[in-house]
Amino acid sequence: MSNIPADLKYTASHEWVRAEADGTLTVGITDHAQEALGDVVYLELPEAGRSVAAGEACAVIESVKAASDIYAPLAGEVIESNTAAVDAPESVNADAYAIWLFKLKPADGAALTRLLDAAGYGAEIANA
Amino acid sequence: MAKQTPLYASHVEAGARMVDFAGWDMPVNYGSQIAEHHAVRRDAGMFDVSHMLALDLDGPDAQPYLRHLLANDVARLTAPGKALYSCMLNEQGGVIDDLIVYVFSPTSYRIVVNAGTADKDVAWMRKQIAKQGANVTLDARRDLAMIAVQGPQARARAWAALPGSEAASRELAPFQAVKWSGGLIARTGYTGEDGFELTVPASEAAAVWRDLQAAGVAPCGLGARDTLRLEAGMNLYGQDMDESVSPLDAGLAWTVDFRDAERDFVGKAALLAHPATRRQLGLILLDKGVLRAHMTVHTDHGPGETTSGSFSPTLEQSIAFARLPLAASPGDAVKVEVRGKRLAARVVKLPFVRQGQVLV
């Protein structure tokens, strides 16, 4: 059974999102996603300053097995990418929730309510 | 409903991640496919390859039938137990399948074919039996299971696990097999390491698997099998060649035997009429990223295409097979198109790795 922390928000495309106190969003991929991908060997993350639409493919994660897109959970501007994760992509397998991939300043903070909560995401992957 | 091998319950019990492969429910990994890959390169790992189909071919015409059916020449199999890798071609010279054939006598052979092509292969072989009017019988042996035990310690661990196996197989040379305990021990594999492919009655498979694991052999999934064969420079049917590809363009010219001018085989005329147009070589990615199949390769001699690509756990870089213009050669600097970017790669001779040693 996958680990789905209750304090995070989720997308159906397997990103987790943490709302920070300063209104920014921290984004990573879920434990379910890392397990499905297998050993992660490469990350391509968006540049700071890039504007992204909700659902836009803005990063790539590659395991030995396959390449997969990572999508912006909401519209906004990328403010930072995790270069430490790029240098150690296997860390995503070790703890998917400890390893963030990029931070986003959302265009509309209220849009956060459109994301899934832990129960909604759990139901999503149970039905997949 | 996907088919299950006799080891299905063993995989599930070991926590394998199961995937559909050619209609079979197979383990892709038991945790980390990179760890499984290293187990085979450094010690010993085992793969359930029972989805592949073993066929017995017997009868007075077995040898002449196979000499016509296969592009490689079974007349090379001069002693009982010897094995030969060959392509089975269609009349156009395309590859129907690649397979291993073991000889027991000139009237008795074992053939092992790929899972995804098994039905098509058997139909083709029966058609050729009828066409030649060959006096042979062909039996599909779904009553057997196959386990590949691979790695520098594979033979020693198999001997420790399976009483009596050492006396039977100690003297086996590479690409030789011996009948043993209702099955077969073959010194063959698909990883570039030493080891055995064991054929056992399906009813005994789970016990053999358990005893091998107790002797320190790590269960390995199809994920590690793919990166191991890629490093070892071994083609995967359906990926690196198929019915539309000549073995001469797919790095398999060494398996096509034209030496006996008197011997005709299916596809021979087409191969003689159409010499190689491409050359299969290896690529090592110099930039960061991962090469995959069907990426365009830009060379000084024109474009080419990758057929298989992945991350090499041994080299810790991405590697690929590529079908390149004939003028391309090892050492060339090329660019590979990856998601709109052109990444730098170097052309190398295959294989990348053999017997634990990096060769490129």
Side-chain angles (χ1 to χ4, degrees), chain A residues 4 8 12-13 15-16 18 20 30 37 43 49-50 53 55 67-68 91 97 111 115 119 123 125 127:
Chain A
I4 310 174
L8 301 175
S13 52
E15 289 84 17
W16 59 259
R18 189 170 63 229
E20 306 293 353
T30 66
L37 282 165
L43 285 166
R50 175 170 163 185
S68 186
S91 60
Y97 298 110
L115 300 178
I125 58 178
N127 294 333

Side-chain angles (χ1 to χ4, degrees), chain A residues 72-86:
Chain A
L74 295 173
E77 182 187 328
V78 175
I79 50 178
E80 193 182 353
S81 279
N82 187 352
T83 54
V86 171

Side-chain angles (χ1 to χ4, degrees), chain A residues 32 35-42 44 60 62-67 69 86-87, chain B residues 17 28-29 31-35 227 288-290 292 309-311 313 338-339 341:
Chain A
H32 173 80
E35 201 194 324
L37 282 165
D39 295 300
V40 175
V41 293
Y42 178 70
E44 201 172 281
V60 176
E62 298 215 28
S63 68
V64 181
K65 216 160 59 181
D69 287 319
V86 171
D87 291 339
Chain B
R17 186 175 181 85
V28 65
N29 64 58
S32 163
Q33 82 171 77
I34 291 180
T227 50
K288 279 193 153 193
V290 185
R292 307 285 181 188
S310 189
F311 175 82
V338 181
R339 285 189 294 274
K341 288 185 202 153

Side-chain angles (χ1 to χ4, degrees), chain B residues 9-10 22 25 28 46 68 70 82 89 92 118-119 137 158 195-196 203 210 235-236 241 245 251 281 301 311 317:
Chain B
S10 309
D25 215 352
V28 65
M46 60 182 166
H68 188 260
L70 302 178
K82 276 190 168 254
L89 305 178
Q92 294 73 44
D119 293 346
T137 57
F196 290 138
S203 57
R210 183 194 62 219
N235 283 15
L236 173 61
M241 73 290 197
V245 177
L281 288 162
H301 312 284
F311 175 82
Q317 290 170 284

Side-chain angles (χ1 to χ4, degrees), chain B residues 55-322:
Chain B
L55 294 154
D56 282 341
L57 182 83
D58 293 283
D61 295 337
Q63 193 196 49
Y65 166 74
L66 287 176
R67 292 193 79 201
H68 188 260
L69 181 78
L70 302 178
N72 212 338
D73 190 353
V74 297
R76 289 178 183 222
L77 300 173
T78 50
K82 276 190 168 254
L84 185 75
Y85 172 78
S86 181
C87 288
M88 181 162 72
L89 305 178
N90 59 28
E91 295 289 356
Q92 294 73 44
V95 183
I96 293 173
D97 199 6
D98 64 334
L99 52 81
I100 301 258
V101 54
Y102 300 92
V103 66
F104 302 126
S105 82
T107 61
S108 181
Y109 295 83
R110 165 72 52 82
I111 302 165
V112 179
V113 302
N114 282 303
T117 49
D119 293 346
K120 170 184 90 164
D121 292 346
V122 171
W124 175 260
M125 290 163 85
R126 294 208 187 284
K127 189 175 150 189
Q128 296 299 318
I129 289 170
K131 202 167 165 183
Q132 286 187 36
N135 184 1
V136 293
T137 57
L138 183 67
D139 288 325
R141 298 293 306 272
R142 279 290 173 212
D143 58 314
L144 299 174
M146 287 180 276
I147 300 170
V149 189
Q150 301 278 291
Q153 298 302 317
R155 291 192 306 150
R157 294 197 187 281
W159 289 334
L162 310 172
S165 63
E166 181 170 3
S169 63
R170 196 189 306 117
E171 304 301 328
L172 276 186
F175 250 68
Q176 262 196 330
V178 63
K179 285 185 179 174
W180 177 72
S181 184
L184 198 67
I185 301 179
R187 198 169 170 194
T188 51
Y190 191 49
T191 62
E193 297 298 326
D194 198 358
F196 290 138
E197 289 179 302
L198 307 171
T199 305
V200 299
S203 57
E204 294 171 22
V208 170
W209 184 267
R210 183 194 62 219
D211 293 347
L212 287 166
Q213 192 168 359
V217 181
C220 298
L222 293 179
R225 188 166 165 83
D226 190 51
T227 50
L228 287 158
R229 69 94 194 168
L230 190 66
E231 289 185 348
M234 295 171 174
N235 283 15
L236 173 61
Y237 188 81
Q239 183 111 20
D240 303 307
M241 73 290 197
D242 57 32
E243 289 193 26
S244 70
V245 177
S246 160
L248 307 180
D249 286 353
L252 296 172
W254 63 277
T255 72
V256 181
D257 192 336
F258 291 113
R259 288 179 306 177
D260 181 353
E262 300 292 305
R263 182 176 78 104
D264 190 22
F265 58 86
V266 180
K268 183 181 183 183
L271 295 188
L272 290 173
H274 301 99
T277 60
R278 317 291 282 167
R279 185 171 182 200
Q280 179 169 298
L281 288 162
L283 298 181
I284 296 183
L285 186 64
L286 303 175
D287 288 327
K288 279 193 153 193
V290 185
L291 301 175
R292 307 285 181 188
H294 310 302
M295 290 177 167
T296 301
V297 184
H298 300 280
T299 81
D300 289 344
H301 312 284
E305 191 187 1
T306 56
T307 55
S308 283
S310 189
F311 175 82
S312 158
T314 305
L315 277 69
E316 296 186 312
Q317 290 170 284
S318 181
I319 59 172
F321 296 166

